Amino acid sequence: MEPLRPDQQRAAALTLAEAFANDPLLEILAPDPARRVKLGPPMMGILLAYGLRYGRVWANDDASAVAIWLHPESGPMKMPRMLRAGMWRAPFILGVQGLGRMSKAMSATEGFHKQVEGPHWYLMTVGTRTARQGQGLGSKLVEMGTSRADAAGVPCYLETGTDANIAFYRKRGFEIIGQADCYGHTFTGMIRQPR
């Protein structure tokens, strides 16, 4: 796994869009599956732009597995930074209704992240293309952040919306710190203490 190269950014956005095509968060943003397919790549492109600017984005050689981590020096995700990374395009991508749904979903988990005191690594997202799943690529990308957090003696934090992901992260030392319902989905905040 290596830092994402600029020429891999489009492939990485497509990877994350495919990996999250049926994820509760994208389902909330676009309940219609056809619309979700269209908005996935540009929305994931915004997350990638944020990660490249303020955090760490790692991928395998063909960007079929990608992780966006924010490290302790990244600082909080403030609106000016999000706008610089391209979030200003969100109303045009999502529409007014989708933007409202995104705001409600983000608010649902905000309290969990605030429970993490002090410096920490934040796993914004990790995803693998369907054809490459089950090969350990996601585990390696998660370890890229957790190993650095362990070396620094700080925790890691993430949010997820599926039971399968909760099980995946539990195997890697994450524990649930809170859950919230939003539009019929349950979002979970998880923390991993340093080892």
Side-chain angles (χ1 to χ4, degrees):
M1 301 293 168
E2 298 179 354
L4 186 74
R5 301 186 314 264
D7 66 308
Q8 294 176 304
Q9 210 165 339
R10 174 77 179 145
L14 293 172
T15 290
L16 292 174
E18 180 181 314
F20 284 85
N22 296 311
D23 186 81
L25 182 57
L26 279 186
E27 285 184 19
I28 286 171
L29 299 184
D32 175 49
R35 181 153 164 64
R36 197 166 35 224
V37 168
K38 291 179 184 174
L39 73 81
M43 289 305 294
M44 292 305 177
I46 292 170
L47 291 182
L48 282 163
Y50 191 95
L52 288 167
R53 184 181 280 253
Y54 300 110
R56 301 279 186 272
V57 181
W58 287 296
N60 63 338
D61 57 350
D62 64 355
S64 60
V66 182
I68 304 171
W69 280 94
L70 298 182
H71 50 76
E73 294 79 35
S74 297
M77 289 181 71
K78 298 285 186 185
M79 189 53 71
R81 289 175 155 204
M82 293 170 73
L83 292 172
R84 262 186 243 121
M87 192 57 82
W88 60 269
R89 295 190 326 247
F92 304 103
I93 297 168
L94 299 173
V96 175
Q97 190 175 32
L99 198 61
R101 293 171 73 86
M102 181 178 84
S103 178
K104 186 172 179 180
M106 291 174 68
S107 295
T109 59
E110 189 177 359
F112 306 150
H113 201 159
K114 289 181 178 178
Q115 291 180 46
V116 186
E117 296 180 8
H120 62 279
W121 281 75
Y122 172 35
L123 179 57
M124 281 182 69
T125 189
V126 59
T128 305
R129 285 202 178 251
T130 306
R132 300 293 307 270
Q133 290 178 0
Q135 299 175 14
L137 298 171
S139 296
K140 288 178 184 174
L141 287 165
V142 170
E143 190 180 315
M144 295 294 288
T146 58
S147 62
R148 285 161 175 79
D150 287 347
V154 298
C156 296
Y157 170 79
L158 61 83
E159 298 114 10
T160 187
T162 69
D163 291 339
N165 284 349
I166 291 171
F168 173 85
Y169 291 121
R170 274 193 164 139
K171 289 179 185 174
R172 284 142 190 90
F174 285 86
E175 296 181 8
I176 294 173
I177 58 170
Q179 292 186 307
D181 291 325
C182 184
Y183 293 105
H185 298 282
T186 300
F187 288 102
T188 302
M190 302 185 80
I191 192 168
R192 178 187 180 275
Q193 296 298 338
R195 295 179 177 174

